[in-house]
Amino acid sequence: MATSPTSPASDAGDIKAVPVRHYGRWLFALIVLVFVASLLSSAIRNDNFKWDVVGDYLFADRVLRGLWLTIWLSTVAVVLGIALGTLLAVMRLSDNPVLRWVSLAYIWFFRGTPVYVQLLGWSFIGALYSTISFGVPFGGPVLVSANGNDLITPITAAILGLGLNLAAYQAEIVRAGLLSVDEGQVESAKALGMTGAQSMRRIVLPQAMRVIIPPTGNQAIDMLKTSSLVATIGVADLLYSVQLIYAQNYQQVPLLVAACIWYLLMTSILSIGQYYLERHYAAGNVRELPPTPLQRARARAASVRFGGPGNPG
Amino acid sequence: MIRFDAVTKRYPDGTVAVDSLELTAASGQITVLVGPSGCGKTTSLRMINRMIEPTSGTIWLDDTDTASMATHELRRQIGYVIQHAGLFPHRTIVDNIATVPFLLGTDKKEARKTALELLERVGLPPHFAKRYPAQLSGGQQQRVGVARALAADPPVMLMDEPFSAVDPVVREQLQDEFLRLQQELGKTIVFVTHDIDEAIKLGDQVAVLRVGGHLAQLASPVELLSRPIDAFVAGFVGRDRGYRALGFTTAGTLSTRGEPTVTLGAAIPKGTDTDTWLLVVDAQQAPQGWLDLGADFTGHETVSDELLYRGGTLATQGGTLRAALDACLSSPSGRGVVVDDGGALIGSVTAREVLELIEARETERQP
Ligand SMILES: Nc1ncnc2c1ncn2[C@@H]1O[C@H](COP(=O)(O)OP(=O)(O)OP(=O)(O)O)[C@@H](O)[C@H]1O
Ligand SMILES: [Mg+2]
């Protein structure tokens, strides 16, 4: 509805400016605070959590070994997933129909079946193929050959299961990122004499990163937790390690709490990394970036030292 | 030198964008392609660096058939300024300009130093170097686009309506700077525009294309204005082409008469009743505007800025007939002010005198 010239806005000069008091907002915040505080104190004071046991096991050898395995297993799986996913995305956007279809079929299969089943599948591969060999198909010479069970250890199965599944999702993330880059950019790159690979690496990918990074961060954080599925194929990651411990001492709750503390710590570190990575690739974006917490702290310190007006917020 | 030899482009849907084009763009000169929208200008331009492949015919770059070269090799020898600049938003201005040197593996420091020089060349301050394209205005981005195309010092430049996205004042400025640059650099340039004024101002030769991709006329700007080959070209060149052609004829030395003046800040003289307009100059004898002696000066003792009529343009001694005539027509007194190269007053001429000069030129030219 259009405002008519006689709208009350013309009387605005008479209105006294009184800051609006958000009584409702304050009340709601108070209720939430009380609720959170009681929840925390109930957890801290509840003896069933056995915080002393949590403390004992947090840095236990077996827990730390499990933690280390979770860290490097997730890292390898994420690196494999990102590399393969990027390749699949480029294949899907290629002019070559064979590459396009292979990529499509891959994504169809690995997104369409549960990751749990894929993990089990890789661990059974020794049973399915007693020897695994690479060579010219249909009776050609065999180049490399190995016993299925020797080649696919539980760890290898875990890496393949997690990494190959991630790649299918990552392919779609990267594809969306590549498609988000303006076509004129490829034109410009070509006109300046870049080859296809150069324009992809120097122009398109860096710009696509802005779209790719947030969901990729999600994937990495997710992988830390999804990797706990490898317990089912007998790989002693963080979760499986604490499970093995409480199978003996029956201290389920404190050990699970200890594991969660480590998971939270790792995901927090990843989130911070993601924040700075996003800022790095936001260079040249139209919107001004807000200062990082570090920059803010520094600005505040400087304003205190020089007695300046300071940086609000 | 770029030579189109019977070049035709037929798009897959059957559109013939360019029809057996024969055209030579001479080395060190600006060749402008001009014509109505959709006549195949961009298509012709992009066939030179093979962003579009011709359906038939050959394009020669000096003595090489462009079809025989690797596309990326070809394109690195040819600067291309794209409409709307086409800068890379994730790279700083200096890195945008240095794109091609980086590609060629030039030392980064060296490449950035050259880029900074180019930034200055196209008239941008050095502190823009660290900015990103989004932090520049459209006109500034266009300049960066030109600088980027120049960075590899290519012998050939292709420019597709590089000055179209800016207002007339900035466009004029960019055109002047472009001409100044070209005088220094002497590149072989193919320039696309749909603006006939721009074509005439910039071109050493102008190719007028008609819809369907036919070359209607290839001529120097003067010839195009004075002898359009047919009704289409005449219509495209415009109705006031006679007046514009004067822009290519020097007036020679104008015989001026002395003009009485008053200096800015001096007392207002009493008006003589024969003439109410008096020319105002500053201490350096540079004309500032006209004073209407018939006006009411209550409240004013001296000749001050706000009393001046500043409408008139100035003609330079040795300038064009068009500038001389325009000075007369735009002056409130009817007398055109003529100055020397330093901007100091020489005297004035009337429109009648300039017209007599034009007529004398015409009879001179007729056998
Ligand atoms: N990819 C394409 N497929 C089919 N037809 C095309 C294609 N690109 C251009 N055309 C047609 O070719 C003709 C010439 O196009 P071109 O872009 O060269 O025009 P132009 O002279 O640059 O026009 P403008 O001044 O509007 O930019 C037009 O009729 C256009 O519709
Ligand atoms: Mg065009």
PDB file of all heavy atoms in Angstrom, chain B residues 197-227:
ATOM      1  N   ASP B 197      30.215   8.994 -33.434  1.00  0.00           N
ATOM      2  CA  ASP B 197      31.078  10.104 -32.996  1.00  0.00           C
ATOM      3  C   ASP B 197      32.400   9.582 -32.460  1.00  0.00           C
ATOM      4  O   ASP B 197      33.461  10.123 -32.737  1.00  0.00           O
ATOM      5  CB  ASP B 197      30.369  10.926 -31.911  1.00  0.00           C
ATOM      6  CG  ASP B 197      29.268  11.769 -32.499  1.00  0.00           C
ATOM      7  OD1 ASP B 197      29.512  12.378 -33.558  1.00  0.00           O
ATOM      8  OD2 ASP B 197      28.166  11.790 -31.937  1.00  0.00           O
ATOM      9  N   GLU B 198      32.302   8.497 -31.666  1.00  0.00           N
ATOM     10  CA  GLU B 198      33.508   7.883 -31.120  1.00  0.00           C
ATOM     11  C   GLU B 198      34.378   7.356 -32.262  1.00  0.00           C
ATOM     12  O   GLU B 198      35.598   7.519 -32.267  1.00  0.00           O
ATOM     13  CB  GLU B 198      33.135   6.749 -30.166  1.00  0.00           C
ATOM     14  CG  GLU B 198      34.313   6.169 -29.418  1.00  0.00           C
ATOM     15  CD  GLU B 198      33.883   5.297 -28.243  1.00  0.00           C
ATOM     16  OE1 GLU B 198      33.358   4.185 -28.478  1.00  0.00           O
ATOM     17  OE2 GLU B 198      34.068   5.729 -27.094  1.00  0.00           O
ATOM     18  N   ALA B 199      33.720   6.716 -33.255  1.00  0.00           N
ATOM     19  CA  ALA B 199      34.456   6.154 -34.389  1.00  0.00           C
ATOM     20  C   ALA B 199      35.235   7.238 -35.111  1.00  0.00           C
ATOM     21  O   ALA B 199      36.406   7.069 -35.444  1.00  0.00           O
ATOM     22  CB  ALA B 199      33.481   5.464 -35.345  1.00  0.00           C
ATOM     23  N   ILE B 200      34.567   8.372 -35.339  1.00  0.00           N
ATOM     24  CA  ILE B 200      35.204   9.446 -36.098  1.00  0.00           C
ATOM     25  C   ILE B 200      36.322  10.097 -35.301  1.00  0.00           C
ATOM     26  O   ILE B 200      37.364  10.474 -35.834  1.00  0.00           O
ATOM     27  CB  ILE B 200      34.131  10.462 -36.533  1.00  0.00           C
ATOM     28  CG1 ILE B 200      33.382   9.854 -37.719  1.00  0.00           C
ATOM     29  CG2 ILE B 200      34.728  11.806 -36.887  1.00  0.00           C
ATOM     30  CD1 ILE B 200      32.164  10.587 -38.107  1.00  0.00           C
ATOM     31  N   LYS B 201      36.118  10.175 -33.994  1.00  0.00           N
ATOM     32  CA  LYS B 201      37.134  10.804 -33.149  1.00  0.00           C
ATOM     33  C   LYS B 201      38.401   9.941 -33.051  1.00  0.00           C
ATOM     34  O   LYS B 201      39.515  10.443 -33.103  1.00  0.00           O
ATOM     35  CB  LYS B 201      36.566  11.036 -31.756  1.00  0.00           C
ATOM     36  CG  LYS B 201      37.571  11.644 -30.795  1.00  0.00           C
ATOM     37  CD  LYS B 201      36.917  12.063 -29.508  1.00  0.00           C
ATOM     38  CE  LYS B 201      37.971  12.628 -28.566  1.00  0.00           C
ATOM     39  NZ  LYS B 201      37.414  13.005 -27.271  1.00  0.00           N
ATOM     40  N   LEU B 202      38.214   8.630 -32.918  1.00  0.00           N
ATOM     41  CA  LEU B 202      39.347   7.761 -32.615  1.00  0.00           C
ATOM     42  C   LEU B 202      39.997   7.132 -33.837  1.00  0.00           C
ATOM     43  O   LEU B 202      41.178   6.821 -33.820  1.00  0.00           O
ATOM     44  CB  LEU B 202      38.915   6.641 -31.657  1.00  0.00           C
ATOM     45  CG  LEU B 202      38.350   7.067 -30.299  1.00  0.00           C
ATOM     46  CD1 LEU B 202      37.991   5.846 -29.482  1.00  0.00           C
ATOM     47  CD2 LEU B 202      39.342   7.940 -29.550  1.00  0.00           C
ATOM     48  N   GLY B 203      39.212   6.903 -34.902  1.00  0.00           N
ATOM     49  CA  GLY B 203      39.696   6.053 -35.979  1.00  0.00           C
ATOM     50  C   GLY B 203      40.690   6.721 -36.908  1.00  0.00           C
ATOM     51  O   GLY B 203      40.532   7.885 -37.264  1.00  0.00           O
ATOM     52  N   ASP B 204      41.743   5.966 -37.290  1.00  0.00           N
ATOM     53  CA  ASP B 204      42.535   6.368 -38.445  1.00  0.00           C
ATOM     54  C   ASP B 204      41.764   5.968 -39.692  1.00  0.00           C
ATOM     55  O   ASP B 204      41.773   6.645 -40.699  1.00  0.00           O
ATOM     56  CB  ASP B 204      43.904   5.688 -38.427  1.00  0.00           C
ATOM     57  CG  ASP B 204      44.759   6.199 -37.278  1.00  0.00           C
ATOM     58  OD1 ASP B 204      44.861   7.429 -37.128  1.00  0.00           O
ATOM     59  OD2 ASP B 204      45.292   5.371 -36.527  1.00  0.00           O
ATOM     60  N   GLN B 205      41.106   4.815 -39.593  1.00  0.00           N
ATOM     61  CA  GLN B 205      40.152   4.437 -40.631  1.00  0.00           C
ATOM     62  C   GLN B 205      38.939   3.812 -39.954  1.00  0.00           C
ATOM     63  O   GLN B 205      39.035   3.235 -38.881  1.00  0.00           O
ATOM     64  CB  GLN B 205      40.773   3.486 -41.656  1.00  0.00           C
ATOM     65  CG  GLN B 205      41.232   2.168 -41.075  1.00  0.00           C
ATOM     66  CD  GLN B 205      41.609   1.177 -42.165  1.00  0.00           C
ATOM     67  OE1 GLN B 205      41.417   1.433 -43.342  1.00  0.00           O
ATOM     68  NE2 GLN B 205      42.108   0.032 -41.759  1.00  0.00           N
ATOM     69  N   VAL B 206      37.789   3.971 -40.607  1.00  0.00           N
ATOM     70  CA  VAL B 206      36.539   3.512 -40.024  1.00  0.00           C
ATOM     71  C   VAL B 206      35.872   2.538 -40.983  1.00  0.00           C
ATOM     72  O   VAL B 206      35.751   2.825 -42.170  1.00  0.00           O
ATOM     73  CB  VAL B 206      35.583   4.701 -39.753  1.00  0.00           C
ATOM     74  CG1 VAL B 206      34.262   4.202 -39.181  1.00  0.00           C
ATOM     75  CG2 VAL B 206      36.236   5.703 -38.817  1.00  0.00           C
ATOM     76  N   ALA B 207      35.482   1.375 -40.468  1.00  0.00           N
ATOM     77  CA  ALA B 207      34.749   0.398 -41.274  1.00  0.00           C
ATOM     78  C   ALA B 207      33.296   0.422 -40.818  1.00  0.00           C
ATOM     79  O   ALA B 207      33.006   0.129 -39.661  1.00  0.00           O
ATOM     80  CB  ALA B 207      35.343  -0.988 -41.101  1.00  0.00           C
ATOM     81  N   VAL B 208      32.394   0.805 -41.709  1.00  0.00           N
ATOM     82  CA  VAL B 208      30.975   0.796 -41.367  1.00  0.00           C
ATOM     83  C   VAL B 208      30.390  -0.539 -41.826  1.00  0.00           C
ATOM     84  O   VAL B 208      30.506  -0.903 -42.991  1.00  0.00           O
ATOM     85  CB  VAL B 208      30.227   1.970 -42.037  1.00  0.00           C
ATOM     86  CG1 VAL B 208      28.772   1.978 -41.593  1.00  0.00           C
ATOM     87  CG2 VAL B 208      30.895   3.289 -41.703  1.00  0.00           C
ATOM     88  N   LEU B 209      29.803  -1.281 -40.878  1.00  0.00           N
ATOM     89  CA  LEU B 209      29.180  -2.557 -41.212  1.00  0.00           C
ATOM     90  C   LEU B 209      27.668  -2.388 -41.222  1.00  0.00           C
ATOM     91  O   LEU B 209      27.128  -1.587 -40.459  1.00  0.00           O
ATOM     92  CB  LEU B 209      29.549  -3.629 -40.173  1.00  0.00           C
ATOM     93  CG  LEU B 209      31.024  -3.971 -40.004  1.00  0.00           C
ATOM     94  CD1 LEU B 209      31.190  -5.034 -38.929  1.00  0.00           C
ATOM     95  CD2 LEU B 209      31.609  -4.457 -41.320  1.00  0.00           C
ATOM     96  N   ARG B 210      27.009  -3.141 -42.075  1.00  0.00           N
ATOM     97  CA  ARG B 210      25.550  -3.112 -42.036  1.00  0.00           C
ATOM     98  C   ARG B 210      25.048  -4.467 -41.555  1.00  0.00           C
ATOM     99  O   ARG B 210      25.788  -5.450 -41.605  1.00  0.00           O
ATOM    100  CB  ARG B 210      24.978  -2.706 -43.385  1.00  0.00           C
ATOM    101  CG  ARG B 210      24.856  -3.815 -44.388  1.00  0.00           C
ATOM    102  CD  ARG B 210      24.133  -3.359 -45.633  1.00  0.00           C
ATOM    103  NE  ARG B 210      25.057  -2.837 -46.644  1.00  0.00           N
ATOM    104  CZ  ARG B 210      24.870  -1.707 -47.308  1.00  0.00           C
ATOM    105  NH1 ARG B 210      23.829  -0.947 -47.055  1.00  0.00           N
ATOM    106  NH2 ARG B 210      25.737  -1.321 -48.231  1.00  0.00           N
ATOM    107  N   VAL B 211      23.805  -4.490 -41.077  1.00  0.00           N
ATOM    108  CA  VAL B 211      23.262  -5.724 -40.519  1.00  0.00           C
ATOM    109  C   VAL B 211      23.354  -6.840 -41.549  1.00  0.00           C
ATOM    110  O   VAL B 211      23.120  -6.620 -42.745  1.00  0.00           O
ATOM    111  CB  VAL B 211      21.805  -5.526 -40.057  1.00  0.00           C
ATOM    112  CG1 VAL B 211      21.227  -6.844 -39.557  1.00  0.00           C
ATOM    113  CG2 VAL B 211      21.752  -4.481 -38.954  1.00  0.00           C
ATOM    114  N   GLY B 212      23.726  -8.019 -41.109  1.00  0.00           N
ATOM    115  CA  GLY B 212      23.969  -9.124 -42.028  1.00  0.00           C
ATOM    116  C   GLY B 212      25.457  -9.315 -42.228  1.00  0.00           C
ATOM    117  O   GLY B 212      25.891 -10.226 -42.917  1.00  0.00           O
ATOM    118  N   GLY B 213      26.240  -8.437 -41.614  1.00  0.00           N
ATOM    119  CA  GLY B 213      27.682  -8.614 -41.625  1.00  0.00           C
ATOM    120  C   GLY B 213      28.365  -8.215 -42.917  1.00  0.00           C
ATOM    121  O   GLY B 213      29.398  -8.755 -43.276  1.00  0.00           O
ATOM    122  N   HIS B 214      27.769  -7.250 -43.652  1.00  0.00           N
ATOM    123  CA  HIS B 214      28.445  -6.763 -44.863  1.00  0.00           C
ATOM    124  C   HIS B 214      29.211  -5.498 -44.546  1.00  0.00           C
ATOM    125  O   HIS B 214      28.738  -4.659 -43.783  1.00  0.00           O
ATOM    126  CB  HIS B 214      27.416  -6.420 -45.948  1.00  0.00           C
ATOM    127  CG  HIS B 214      26.518  -7.544 -46.297  1.00  0.00           C
ATOM    128  ND1 HIS B 214      26.879  -8.535 -47.165  1.00  0.00           N
ATOM    129  CD2 HIS B 214      25.281  -7.840 -45.863  1.00  0.00           C
ATOM    130  CE1 HIS B 214      25.890  -9.408 -47.265  1.00  0.00           C
ATOM    131  NE2 HIS B 214      24.900  -9.016 -46.486  1.00  0.00           N
ATOM    132  N   LEU B 215      30.372  -5.357 -45.168  1.00  0.00           N
ATOM    133  CA  LEU B 215      31.128  -4.118 -45.047  1.00  0.00           C
ATOM    134  C   LEU B 215      30.519  -3.099 -45.999  1.00  0.00           C
ATOM    135  O   LEU B 215      30.467  -3.317 -47.208  1.00  0.00           O
ATOM    136  CB  LEU B 215      32.596  -4.367 -45.406  1.00  0.00           C
ATOM    137  CG  LEU B 215      33.509  -3.151 -45.341  1.00  0.00           C
ATOM    138  CD1 LEU B 215      33.612  -2.627 -43.927  1.00  0.00           C
ATOM    139  CD2 LEU B 215      34.893  -3.500 -45.876  1.00  0.00           C
ATOM    140  N   ALA B 216      30.006  -1.989 -45.448  1.00  0.00           N
ATOM    141  CA  ALA B 216      29.378  -0.984 -46.304  1.00  0.00           C
ATOM    142  C   ALA B 216      30.406  -0.006 -46.848  1.00  0.00           C
ATOM    143  O   ALA B 216      30.390   0.334 -48.017  1.00  0.00           O
ATOM    144  CB  ALA B 216      28.298  -0.234 -45.535  1.00  0.00           C
ATOM    145  N   GLN B 217      31.300   0.462 -45.984  1.00  0.00           N
ATOM    146  CA  GLN B 217      32.330   1.390 -46.446  1.00  0.00           C
ATOM    147  C   GLN B 217      33.528   1.342 -45.517  1.00  0.00           C
ATOM    148  O   GLN B 217      33.388   1.218 -44.301  1.00  0.00           O
ATOM    149  CB  GLN B 217      31.777   2.824 -46.486  1.00  0.00           C
ATOM    150  CG  GLN B 217      32.769   3.809 -47.092  1.00  0.00           C
ATOM    151  CD  GLN B 217      32.154   5.171 -47.377  1.00  0.00           C
ATOM    152  OE1 GLN B 217      31.019   5.442 -47.021  1.00  0.00           O
ATOM    153  NE2 GLN B 217      32.924   6.023 -48.038  1.00  0.00           N
ATOM    154  N   LEU B 218      34.702   1.435 -46.116  1.00  0.00           N
ATOM    155  CA  LEU B 218      35.938   1.513 -45.341  1.00  0.00           C
ATOM    156  C   LEU B 218      36.649   2.782 -45.786  1.00  0.00           C
ATOM    157  O   LEU B 218      37.002   2.910 -46.953  1.00  0.00           O
ATOM    158  CB  LEU B 218      36.811   0.285 -45.612  1.00  0.00           C
ATOM    159  CG  LEU B 218      38.185   0.278 -44.939  1.00  0.00           C
ATOM    160  CD1 LEU B 218      38.052   0.191 -43.435  1.00  0.00           C
ATOM    161  CD2 LEU B 218      39.022  -0.880 -45.462  1.00  0.00           C
ATOM    162  N   ALA B 219      36.797   3.742 -44.872  1.00  0.00           N
ATOM    163  CA  ALA B 219      37.352   5.028 -45.280  1.00  0.00           C
ATOM    164  C   ALA B 219      37.932   5.753 -44.087  1.00  0.00           C
ATOM    165  O   ALA B 219      37.701   5.371 -42.943  1.00  0.00           O
ATOM    166  CB  ALA B 219      36.260   5.882 -45.916  1.00  0.00           C
ATOM    167  N   SER B 220      38.667   6.825 -44.370  1.00  0.00           N
ATOM    168  CA  SER B 220      39.142   7.681 -43.284  1.00  0.00           C
ATOM    169  C   SER B 220      37.935   8.466 -42.772  1.00  0.00           C
ATOM    170  O   SER B 220      36.946   8.636 -43.489  1.00  0.00           O
ATOM    171  CB  SER B 220      40.209   8.624 -43.803  1.00  0.00           C
ATOM    172  OG  SER B 220      39.610   9.580 -44.660  1.00  0.00           O
ATOM    173  N   PRO B 221      37.988   8.973 -41.540  1.00  0.00           N
ATOM    174  CA  PRO B 221      36.851   9.717 -40.994  1.00  0.00           C
ATOM    175  C   PRO B 221      36.421  10.886 -41.887  1.00  0.00           C
ATOM    176  O   PRO B 221      35.225  11.078 -42.115  1.00  0.00           O
ATOM    177  CB  PRO B 221      37.374  10.216 -39.650  1.00  0.00           C
ATOM    178  CG  PRO B 221      38.397   9.235 -39.243  1.00  0.00           C
ATOM    179  CD  PRO B 221      39.038   8.774 -40.518  1.00  0.00           C
ATOM    180  N   VAL B 222      37.388  11.659 -42.413  1.00  0.00           N
ATOM    181  CA  VAL B 222      37.030  12.807 -43.250  1.00  0.00           C
ATOM    182  C   VAL B 222      36.271  12.342 -44.475  1.00  0.00           C
ATOM    183  O   VAL B 222      35.230  12.901 -44.842  1.00  0.00           O
ATOM    184  CB  VAL B 222      38.294  13.552 -43.752  1.00  0.00           C
ATOM    185  CG1 VAL B 222      37.920  14.923 -44.261  1.00  0.00           C
ATOM    186  CG2 VAL B 222      39.349  13.604 -42.686  1.00  0.00           C
ATOM    187  N   GLU B 223      36.783  11.309 -45.094  1.00  0.00           N
ATOM    188  CA  GLU B 223      36.169  10.830 -46.320  1.00  0.00           C
ATOM    189  C   GLU B 223      34.766  10.305 -46.035  1.00  0.00           C
ATOM    190  O   GLU B 223      33.836  10.521 -46.810  1.00  0.00           O
ATOM    191  CB  GLU B 223      37.052   9.726 -46.907  1.00  0.00           C
ATOM    192  CG  GLU B 223      36.796   9.497 -48.382  1.00  0.00           C
ATOM    193  CD  GLU B 223      37.651   8.354 -48.901  1.00  0.00           C
ATOM    194  OE1 GLU B 223      38.742   8.146 -48.324  1.00  0.00           O
ATOM    195  OE2 GLU B 223      37.216   7.686 -49.847  1.00  0.00           O
ATOM    196  N   LEU B 224      34.624   9.621 -44.882  1.00  0.00           N
ATOM    197  CA  LEU B 224      33.334   9.069 -44.505  1.00  0.00           C
ATOM    198  C   LEU B 224      32.308  10.188 -44.361  1.00  0.00           C
ATOM    199  O   LEU B 224      31.159  10.066 -44.791  1.00  0.00           O
ATOM    200  CB  LEU B 224      33.482   8.325 -43.182  1.00  0.00           C
ATOM    201  CG  LEU B 224      32.443   7.279 -42.860  1.00  0.00           C
ATOM    202  CD1 LEU B 224      32.505   6.149 -43.866  1.00  0.00           C
ATOM    203  CD2 LEU B 224      32.669   6.749 -41.458  1.00  0.00           C
ATOM    204  N   LEU B 225      32.741  11.305 -43.766  1.00  0.00           N
ATOM    205  CA  LEU B 225      31.824  12.419 -43.554  1.00  0.00           C
ATOM    206  C   LEU B 225      31.522  13.142 -44.859  1.00  0.00           C
ATOM    207  O   LEU B 225      30.395  13.564 -45.103  1.00  0.00           O
ATOM    208  CB  LEU B 225      32.436  13.413 -42.557  1.00  0.00           C
ATOM    209  CG  LEU B 225      32.488  12.930 -41.109  1.00  0.00           C
ATOM    210  CD1 LEU B 225      33.327  13.862 -40.261  1.00  0.00           C
ATOM    211  CD2 LEU B 225      31.090  12.806 -40.538  1.00  0.00           C
ATOM    212  N   SER B 226      32.532  13.272 -45.717  1.00  0.00           N
ATOM    213  CA  SER B 226      32.310  14.059 -46.924  1.00  0.00           C
ATOM    214  C   SER B 226      31.750  13.228 -48.069  1.00  0.00           C
ATOM    215  O   SER B 226      31.002  13.735 -48.889  1.00  0.00           O
ATOM    216  CB  SER B 226      33.607  14.748 -47.345  1.00  0.00           C
ATOM    217  OG  SER B 226      34.623  13.780 -47.481  1.00  0.00           O
ATOM    218  N   ARG B 227      32.103  11.938 -48.137  1.00  0.00           N
ATOM    219  CA  ARG B 227      31.614  11.124 -49.257  1.00  0.00           C
ATOM    220  C   ARG B 227      31.076   9.777 -48.805  1.00  0.00           C
ATOM    221  O   ARG B 227      31.672   8.736 -49.102  1.00  0.00           O
ATOM    222  CB  ARG B 227      32.738  10.882 -50.272  1.00  0.00           C
ATOM    223  CG  ARG B 227      33.216  12.153 -50.914  1.00  0.00           C
ATOM    224  CD  ARG B 227      33.957  11.876 -52.211  1.00  0.00           C
ATOM    225  NE  ARG B 227      34.830  13.012 -52.480  1.00  0.00           N
ATOM    226  CZ  ARG B 227      36.127  13.028 -52.208  1.00  0.00           C
ATOM    227  NH1 ARG B 227      36.716  11.962 -51.746  1.00  0.00           N
ATOM    228  NH2 ARG B 227      36.838  14.102 -52.446  1.00  0.00           N
TER     229      ARG B 227
END
